[in-house]
Amino acid sequence: MKDVKKKILYIDPLLQNGHVNFNNIYIESLRKSGHLLEFVFVRGYEDKLNIDSSEVVYSIPKVFFKKDLGKLGNRIAYFFALLFIKLFVDFKKYDLIIFSSFEEVSFFLSNIKKCCLINHINVSTSVESKVKYFFLNKVLINNSLIVLDKETKSYLSTKGSYKIYVQPHGLPNAKSLIHTNEDDEFGYIFEELIKYKKILFSPSESSSDKDFINELIRSNKFMEYLEQEDILFVYKDKSPVVKRNTLVISVFLSQNAYDYLFLKSDIILIAYPTNFKYRVSGVLLECMANDKPCVVSRIDTLESYSDFFKYDAFYSNIDELIQIIGDLGKFNQNGGGFYRSLTMLEPNFNNFIN
């Protein structure tokens, strides 16, 4: 008997440019499942995903996302966006409705039920906020949740009897080395890169372990190591400290400039604090997708990816960080790269939907 195609509605109610890669990965995986897909996005967002407008059944007015209204104002805007979706979209037409992102307070107030939601930072922020946990719990009573790793599912299983499914984030497409002299604003960055033998780049600012980065900058041992090995340490900070063998980026990088810097770097530093829990590191997945070696904070969320490394990437202090950087210089890839079994990180919706 031939499988009956199911009708799936994929909704991203939040205008988040940082989720473009994620949405592309999940939509591609859903398409491979062979079912019928339709979409709801903030108006114009489908263009970033190369989705034909004929597949979009409703466009959320962009007026809700014109400017940052603060925490309360944003939640009110999200709430009204959800009400508009309920008003103009007939949920009964679909076998499965997926929200690729959500904000727990506004979602609870919208009274939307029997949908499948995708966790990004919702569980992580609920750990430290009783208010967010209260609303997340209420939402999960009436909806199922896709989490991106087993650690998050294990944590939630201790909190209640929820319907939780694990689907990996998936890997973004490999980056292309695109750089033109038109990027005059970032010319000083590119000029510095060619002066050194190696580049160590810490791409994250908002999620980074700022205390550890500051410890590195203050460490005579680390600074001497950089100078001895002719390494340039590039990191982001709004309050730069000028030191030899360091380059501080205090401006927002264009995507092309970021990609160029990422690919030109020899090693990526992923320094996250211990409260980075129940969420995925996009930078780590970028490293894997581009076979770029990285050194990683020894915290549970990141160590859950240890099986995908062909080398010990995890550090707890400056000495271990220096040791790993040195070991990577001797690492023999044997033509096979720095990572393994990466297909395990790709989402698969065949069994999930059927």
Side-chain angles (χ1 to χ4, degrees):
M1 183 178 176
K2 190 175 182 180
D3 291 338
V4 177
K5 288 186 177 181
K6 294 183 179 179
K7 201 168 185 180
I8 301 169
L9 181 63
Y10 187 94
I11 303 173
D12 192 339
L14 308 178
L15 186 59
Q16 295 188 358
N17 292 327
H19 284 186
V20 169
N21 275 336
F22 173 82
N23 282 324
N24 274 324
I25 292 166
Y26 263 47
I27 289 169
E28 181 182 353
S29 183
L30 284 165
R31 289 197 190 280
K32 288 178 181 177
S33 70
H35 299 289
L36 302 174
L37 272 174
E38 291 184 332
F39 303 95
V40 172
F41 296 122
V42 177
R43 186 175 301 280
Y45 188 76
E46 67 273 11
D47 296 337
K48 300 177 184 292
L49 305 173
N50 295 319
I51 290 174
D52 193 280
S53 58
S54 63
E55 295 180 291
V56 180
V57 296
Y58 178 66
S59 293
I60 304 166
K62 214 167 183 177
V63 66
F64 295 123
F65 304 91
K66 277 193 171 181
K67 60 181 180 179
D68 187 349
L69 302 173
K71 290 183 179 179
L72 178 60
N74 286 339
R75 284 179 176 143
I76 292 172
Y78 298 155
F79 171 69
F80 277 103
L82 293 170
L83 290 188
F84 272 57
I85 294 172
K86 287 179 66 176
L87 180 63
F88 292 104
V89 180
D90 184 3
F91 283 11
K92 295 177 182 177
K93 291 169 52 179
Y94 300 95
D95 299 296
L96 176 65
I97 299 170
I98 297 175
F99 278 81
S100 74
S101 60
F102 70 102
E103 190 282 317
E104 48 281 320
V105 178
S106 55
F107 200 91
F108 168 73
L109 295 175
S110 74
N111 201 35
I112 294 175
K113 299 178 180 179
K114 297 181 179 180
C115 295
C116 186
L117 317 178
I118 298 178
N119 171 69
H120 290 280
I121 63 170
N122 306 83
V123 176
S124 180
T125 56
S126 74
V127 172
E128 298 180 359
S129 169
K130 291 182 179 180
V131 173
K132 287 191 175 184
Y133 175 73
F134 172 84
F135 285 104
L136 180 63
N137 175 63
K138 293 293 185 182
V139 167
L140 295 186
I141 290 173
N142 296 300
N143 298 275
S144 59
L145 184 71
I146 290 176
V147 298
L148 307 179
D149 59 85
K150 293 178 182 178
E151 183 192 18
T152 306
K153 182 178 181 179
S154 296
Y155 167 74
L156 287 173
S157 68
T158 67
K159 295 296 182 180
S161 299
Y162 307 122
K163 290 183 180 178
I164 309 295
Y165 306 95
V166 178
Q167 283 286 354
H169 182 291
L171 299 179
N173 292 328
K175 298 179 181 296
S176 299
L177 193 60
I178 301 174
H179 172 235
T180 67
N181 291 329
E182 295 173 5
D183 250 337
D184 292 337
E185 182 181 356
F186 310 111
Y188 72 98
I189 296 175
F190 308 131
E191 290 172 4
E192 284 296 307
L193 300 185
I194 61 175
K195 297 178 183 178
Y196 295 84
K197 184 178 177 181
K198 286 186 178 180
I199 308 299
L200 173 67
F201 177 35
S202 177
S204 181
E205 181 183 352
S206 59
S207 300
S208 71
D209 186 348
K210 292 181 174 59
D211 289 338
F212 183 73
I213 298 296
N214 289 332
E215 185 182 348
L216 287 178
I217 301 304
R218 293 193 303 266
S219 168
N220 291 331
K221 183 173 185 178
F222 183 69
M223 289 295 120
E224 288 171 4
Y225 177 75
L226 294 180
E227 189 170 355
Q228 175 187 331
E229 298 297 323
D230 197 21
I231 298 172
L232 177 67
F233 178 38
V234 184
Y235 66 100
K236 292 183 176 181
D237 199 335
K238 290 184 173 65
S239 304
V241 177
V242 179
K243 282 204 170 188
R244 293 182 65 179
N245 291 78
T246 66
L247 174 63
V248 185
I249 299 175
S250 57
V251 297
F252 179 79
L253 291 176
S254 69
Q255 188 63 51
N256 277 350
Y258 171 80
D259 290 349
Y260 184 85
L261 178 54
F262 181 95
L263 292 174
K264 282 293 186 181
S265 297
D266 297 279
I267 301 173
I268 303 300
L269 173 61
I270 302 177
Y272 291 156
T274 54
N275 63 358
F276 187 92
K277 295 181 177 180
Y278 314 124
R279 54 192 296 191
V280 169
S281 167
V283 176
L284 176 57
L285 296 175
E286 283 183 320
C287 289
M288 291 178 168
N290 292 276
D291 197 37
K292 180 70 64 177
C294 57
V295 283
V296 187
S297 302
R298 192 179 294 281
I299 58 177
D300 291 342
T301 294
L302 298 178
E303 278 198 288
S304 65
Y305 289 85
S306 60
D307 289 345
F308 299 104
F309 287 84
K310 291 183 178 179
Y311 62 96
D312 184 4
F314 301 93
Y315 69 87
S316 301
N317 52 52
I318 293 176
D319 286 339
E320 291 180 1
L321 174 64
I322 291 173
Q323 181 67 48
I324 297 170
I325 294 172
D327 289 345
L328 279 171
K330 309 167 192 173
F331 182 77
N332 184 359
Q333 299 183 52
N334 291 323
F338 294 96
Y339 306 98
R340 59 186 165 214
S341 306
L342 295 184
T343 55
M344 299 286 290
L345 292 174
E346 297 296 343
N348 186 334
F349 284 97
N350 290 329
N351 295 329
F352 177 80
I353 296 170
N354 295 325

